[in-house]
Amino acid sequence: MKFLGNVLATLVGLFIFFMLFFFGIVMIGVIAGSGSEKVVVNNNSVIVLDLAEVNRDYAGKARYTDFDYYEVNNDGLTDVIKAIEYAKTDKSIKGISIINSDSKLGAAQTNWLRSAIEDFKTSKKFVYAYGDEMTQGEYFLNSVADSIYLNPVGGLDFKGLSAELMFFKDLQEKSGIKMEVIRHGKYKSAVEPFLQNEMSDANREQVTTMLQTSWNVILEQVSRSRKISKDRLNAIADDLQARTPEMAKAENLIDVVAYEDIYHNQIRKKLNIEKDKEYKSIDIVAYAKNVATTSKTLGSDRIAVIYAQGQIMGGEGDVSYIGEGSMRRAIKEAREDDNVKAIVLRVDSPGGSALTSDLIWREVELTKGIKPIVVSMGNVAASGGYYISCNADMIFAEPNTITGSIGVFGVLPNFTKLSNRIGIHTQQIKTNKNSADYSPFLPLDATMRAATQSDVERIYSIFVSRVADGRNMTAEQVDAIGQGRVWTGADALGIGLVDKLGSLDDAVAQAAKMAKIDKYSTRSYPEYEKSFKDLFASLMPSFISSKAILEKEIGAENYQLIQDIKNATNQRGVQLLMPYQLKVK
């Protein structure tokens, strides 16, 4: 047995050695190949707008603290927008092909991208779109094209927007698991599913308004591009009159019912290339990298664009979540850099930790008066996302940005009934009346509830005062539009929560105007600090990556749901968090 044990130990040791050797070689290759080698762009080329890997505004920069390695990614939506803008005057690029787009972009991001493509079209270069089938979100983007092709056996989804909410009050009673809820704000519906079995009138009101405003944005854009009245588009959606390729063509939502080879032949014709020859194409991410590495000399003046994207959770932060470490460092660095003349804070966040939100707010407050700071809101800048935005000099939002949600809540899971039911009983011994922390295995007592409610009210009062000071309102005015209510960007403009409707580009232009500069470059922040462990994890082959395995087995949407549940269980302290996610499909 000892012999077999030694053999096994040797085999395991060899396996670990070869794995480390393999990853060492891979990392050396990655580091060696991480230079600024440019992608070749052939003459007479077409950009393929493949958005499968583009899901965030900012792709991120990272500095590895325990060895000399710096990483810059160019697959963010900002990079794509810059690439499309550059392609407008690039003589090598003749057009854009949107083919079977698999986009994970949010509604406001899609609106921004769509506007960039509209601007590209003013160059008289072509934009074509093809889909085997098209979801509503895909069609919203594709509708900007000069010609839209749809597979003869495909389909088109155009039916309006809806929301579905689940309620767990009865489940709690039956399971013995109860969520103790403490909140301020009648519209703070993040906790409503734990309190009742149906939607409140207040929540129904805000969801209805939000959906209708977002739908109107889609109607206006499609109506302008396809020259179909909004009334007619609503009639098409009501009666599902575009669900087949033939019906969609009859309603002028698409132009051609054909297979993909016919679509490519049309591009060849546009490029004056024979049918049997391949035309030159370049993926948008590869082209974006090429644009990013093209030198630009626009003087020494800069505008810092600082990206706050994801849930606010504390810590260092990353491209997928906001931490005070990288955010505070980025704002401070931009504030103290003499070459940076203005700052744009790009916010795409449903909120999160109240403490972290306030720490970031403080950095913005310290910056005001030293140099202009403008906020640009993406898909969502609600609750904590609005908290970190409210004291900027000026706030921009897209019409279908989701913002507001000025409210506070706390949720304490309680398993007392369940534990008693299965024979687990809990007791506490205390030296003082309130010396014990909250226990999920004992009922929430009146003193603890009152203390937590007091904390919630205190944070709400601070939140309201921050907004009142930043937006030049009274506390009463903020409370009237607060109470946790969610607004679209278009509606927020009318009540004073934002100043103008526009994209990140518009916000940057405004910041330059406020700084009184004409020639400038932009620099993206934050730069995340990482370690060897982080790099090792990022290079893990997909076949042994738990993320890749789970996404493949249960689907990307279900995997994201698991991550949302994980984030919820990791929440600490009072939360400033938007009640739900809105995705156009």
Side-chain angles (χ1 to χ4, degrees):
M1 288 297 281
K2 186 175 180 180
F3 171 76
L4 292 175
N6 290 336
V7 171
L8 181 60
T10 301
L11 291 175
V12 170
L14 287 171
F15 175 77
I16 293 173
F17 170 79
F18 283 116
M19 287 293 288
L20 291 173
F21 178 77
F22 169 76
F23 284 121
I25 294 296
V26 170
M27 277 187 282
I28 290 171
V30 169
I31 294 171
S34 62
S36 58
E37 183 181 347
K38 294 179 65 174
V39 178
V40 175
V41 182
N42 295 295
N43 289 328
N44 216 31
S45 288
V46 177
I47 290 176
V48 179
L49 198 69
D50 183 0
L51 303 170
E53 301 303 320
V54 181
N55 52 25
R56 298 185 180 93
D57 291 336
Y58 178 49
K61 296 185 289 188
R63 180 174 61 85
Y64 289 82
T65 56
D66 43 11
F67 64 104
D68 187 18
Y69 180 47
Y70 190 78
E71 179 182 59
V72 179
N73 296 309
N74 303 115
D75 57 354
L77 178 59
T78 306
D79 301 297
V80 168
I81 298 290
K82 287 179 180 177
I84 292 173
E85 180 182 348
Y86 188 87
K88 182 180 174 181
T89 56
D90 187 345
K91 294 181 180 179
S92 299
I93 301 298
K94 302 303 180 184
I96 293 175
S97 171
I98 312 172
I99 182 166
N100 286 323
S101 56
D102 179 19
S103 172
K104 300 179 182 67
L105 298 177
Q109 288 175 312
T110 304
N111 197 50
W112 182 27
L113 175 59
R114 200 180 182 284
S115 297
I117 297 173
E118 274 191 319
D119 182 64
F120 172 85
K121 288 170 61 177
T122 62
S123 66
K124 305 304 181 183
K125 299 179 180 183
F126 68 84
V127 178
Y128 290 161
Y130 170 88
D132 286 328
E133 55 185 5
M134 295 183 195
T135 67
Q136 196 159 241
E138 290 165 355
Y139 180 73
F140 177 45
L141 177 62
N142 292 348
S143 64
V144 75
D146 302 312
S147 294
I148 305 173
Y149 288 65
L150 186 60
N151 187 296
V153 192
L156 176 65
D157 195 17
F158 192 82
K159 58 188 179 185
L161 304 180
S162 66
E164 182 177 280
L165 284 76
M166 299 179 70
F167 297 85
F168 312 109
K169 186 173 182 290
D170 284 352
L171 175 64
Q172 293 177 99
E173 294 296 328
K174 292 178 180 178
S175 67
I177 300 174
K178 182 181 180 182
M179 304 301 285
E180 298 285 1
V181 173
I182 300 95
R183 64 173 174 170
H184 183 108
K186 64 180 180 179
Y187 292 97
K188 202 65 181 177
S189 51
V191 294
E192 194 173 88
F194 303 122
L195 302 175
Q196 51 201 59
N197 287 322
E198 60 183 15
M199 198 181 302
S200 67
D201 291 340
N203 192 22
R204 184 175 294 277
E205 175 191 355
Q206 73 168 350
V207 173
T208 300
T209 301
M210 181 177 62
L211 289 176
Q212 192 58 59
T213 303
S214 298
W215 178 237
N216 282 338
V217 172
I218 294 174
L219 290 179
E220 287 171 4
Q221 300 280 22
V222 174
S223 176
R224 185 173 70 247
S225 294
R226 301 301 302 176
K227 296 179 173 55
I228 307 171
S229 72
K230 291 170 64 176
D231 288 342
R232 184 58 200 158
L233 287 172
N234 270 320
I236 293 170
D238 285 341
D239 298 326
L240 303 178
Q241 295 181 40
R243 63 185 183 275
T244 69
E246 293 76 18
M247 294 170 74
K249 187 175 186 302
E251 294 291 351
N252 195 38
L253 288 182
I254 65 168
D255 298 289
V256 183
V257 178
Y259 289 101
E260 187 178 334
D261 58 296
I262 303 298
Y263 171 77
H264 289 298
N265 283 339
Q266 179 58 32
I267 294 179
R268 291 186 182 95
K269 183 178 179 181
K270 194 73 177 177
L271 298 172
N272 294 317
I273 294 175
E274 296 177 12
K275 284 187 177 182
D276 59 344
K277 292 187 178 180
E278 292 296 323
Y279 60 86
K280 301 295 183 181
S281 64
I282 182 168
D283 178 85
I284 185 62
V285 172
Y287 186 72
K289 181 179 180 181
N290 183 77
V291 171
T293 54
T294 300
S295 62
K296 307 176 187 70
T297 54
L298 297 171
S300 60
D301 291 344
R302 295 177 189 161
I303 292 178
V305 182
I306 303 175
Y307 294 86
Q309 53 191 27
Q311 189 169 329
I312 301 173
M313 300 173 65
E316 167 63 14
D318 201 349
V319 291
S320 59
Y321 75 96
I322 300 168
E324 76 270 11
S326 56
M327 286 300 300
R328 295 174 71 187
R329 192 169 60 247
I331 298 173
K332 183 174 184 291
E333 182 179 338
R335 182 173 68 238
E336 296 176 352
D337 187 339
D338 291 337
N339 290 327
V340 172
K341 304 304 180 183
I343 297 172
V344 174
L345 180 63
R346 173 68 169 186
V347 180
D348 190 353
S349 172
S353 165
L355 175 59
T356 302
S357 298
D358 195 65
L359 291 172
I360 297 170
W361 171 90
R362 177 59 179 167
E363 289 298 330
V364 175
E365 187 68 14
L366 290 172
T367 304
K368 284 181 66 175
I370 297 177
K371 52 189 65 175
I373 182 162
V374 177
V375 162
S376 168
M377 293 180 171
N379 293 321
V380 55
S383 210
Y386 189 77
Y387 193 113
I388 67 175
S389 306
C390 67
N391 58 333
D393 295 310
M394 186 170 286
I395 299 177
F396 281 74
E398 295 280 2
N400 50 354
T401 293
I402 303 303
T403 189
S405 192
I406 302 167
V408 187
F409 73 90
V411 178
L412 302 171
N414 194 279
F415 307 103
T416 303
K417 284 187 178 180
L418 175 63
S419 61
N420 289 345
R421 189 178 296 164
I422 61 176
I424 299 174
H425 304 277
T426 305
Q427 291 185 334
Q428 288 182 335
I429 301 173
K430 300 181 284 189
T431 62
N432 295 81
K433 182 179 178 181
N434 297 304
S435 60
D437 292 329
Y438 167 73
S439 171
F441 301 103
L442 290 171
L444 178 64
D445 62 47
T447 301
M448 179 65 179
R449 177 177 289 278
T452 306
Q453 185 69 53
S454 177
D455 289 342
V456 166
E457 298 295 338
R458 181 177 67 88
I459 296 298
Y460 181 73
S461 178
I462 294 172
F463 197 167
V464 168
S465 70
R466 298 284 192 247
V467 176
D469 292 341
R471 303 302 300 165
N472 294 318
M473 295 179 174
T474 66
E476 291 74 22
Q477 288 174 321
V478 175
D479 187 55
I481 58 176
Q483 298 287 327
R485 177 158 184 169
V486 175
W487 305 87
T488 62
D491 292 330
L493 178 65
I495 59 175
L497 289 180
V498 305
D499 297 295
K500 290 186 178 181
L501 297 181
S503 67
L504 175 58
D505 295 333
D506 297 319
V508 170
Q510 178 63 39
K513 182 179 179 181
M514 294 168 69
K516 299 179 181 179
I517 55 175
D518 296 320
K519 294 182 178 181
Y520 58 89
S521 59
T522 60
R523 180 176 178 182
S524 299
Y525 297 79
E527 177 186 290
Y528 305 106
E529 291 186 351
K530 296 188 176 183
S531 64
F532 176 84
K533 179 182 177 182
D534 298 315
L535 180 61
F536 187 85
S538 70
L539 296 175
M540 190 77 71
S542 61
F543 65 85
I544 56 174
S545 166
S546 59
K547 178 181 184 295
I549 294 171
L550 281 173
E551 278 193 334
K552 182 178 180 180
E553 292 299 321
I554 67 177
E557 289 187 356
N558 290 327
Y559 177 80
Q560 185 57 51
L561 179 61
I562 291 173
Q563 293 302 110
D564 291 341
I565 293 171
K566 179 182 176 182
N567 289 340
T569 60
N570 289 333
Q571 289 171 4
R572 295 291 182 270
V574 177
Q575 297 293 305
L576 309 175
L577 193 61
M578 201 183 92
Y580 32 66
Q581 298 178 10
L582 177 67
K583 295 183 179 180
V584 178
K585 296 182 179 179

